[in-house]
Amino acid sequence: MRRLLLAGLVALSLAACEREDREYRPDPIVTETPQKIALTTLSPGDTPPITDLSDMGAQYTANAYHVSQGKKWFSAFNCNGCHSNGGGGSGPPLMDDKWSYGGKIENIAQSIREGRPNGMPSWRGKITDEQIWELAAFVLSMSGNVTSDVANGRNDDMAGKPPENMTPQQPPQPGGQVPKSAESPQ
């Protein structure tokens, strides 16, 4: 009787356990929002292009968290491979004032989302819209186009050593041997 009761309690407790189902990473395609294309003055024809700017840019460029997340994504998605920490490589530099497809955050987000000819891949459907906007905010910050309270600092691996007048005084390290050329003649 006890075994039957114990087995019943174990079965009841196991039936009551239910694994929590979480969505750790949202599906980029499901979270995609309809974005209008932000055009630049580079368009064919006699009429100027329609520039459609959204209010999304201000939300991301004025928020230090979003800019720092963009910095994390820039490294994680290997943007460094082409843009070389913003200095340019096989991809264009991101720290100067020359923007081939427009220097507004909407233009940058559009370049990331749709890609560009001759090398820039489209990230649509691979990453979420929030990640695209965070990347665009970080890219904009690389050229100094965000306020100083939002902008990131350099990576520790890019910083040089502190100047000699800022390093603590230390005794000289015991050295090796004096070369023959430095010995005084006998």
Side-chain angles (χ1 to χ4, degrees), residues 20 36 42 66 72 78 80 102 123 134 137 139-141 183:
E20 181 181 5
K36 295 182 180 177
L42 299 172
H66 287 308
K72 183 176 100 173
N78 196 25
N80 287 328
W123 288 90
E134 287 171 344
V139 167
L140 197 62
S141 77
E183 290 180 4

Side-chain angles (χ1 to χ4, degrees), residues 133-158:
W133 282 102
E134 287 171 344
L135 266 169
F138 173 66
V139 167
L140 197 62
S141 77
M142 291 173 122
S143 61
N145 288 319
V146 295
T147 58
S148 61
D149 60 331
V150 172
N152 278 317
R154 278 194 161 177
N155 292 344
D156 289 340
D157 60 338
M158 291 179 67

Side-chain angles (χ1 to χ4, degrees), residues 39-58:
L39 297 173
T40 68
T41 57
L42 299 172
S43 72
D46 297 334
T47 60
I50 300 168
T51 304
D52 192 4
L53 304 177
S54 68
D55 62 340
M56 296 284 287

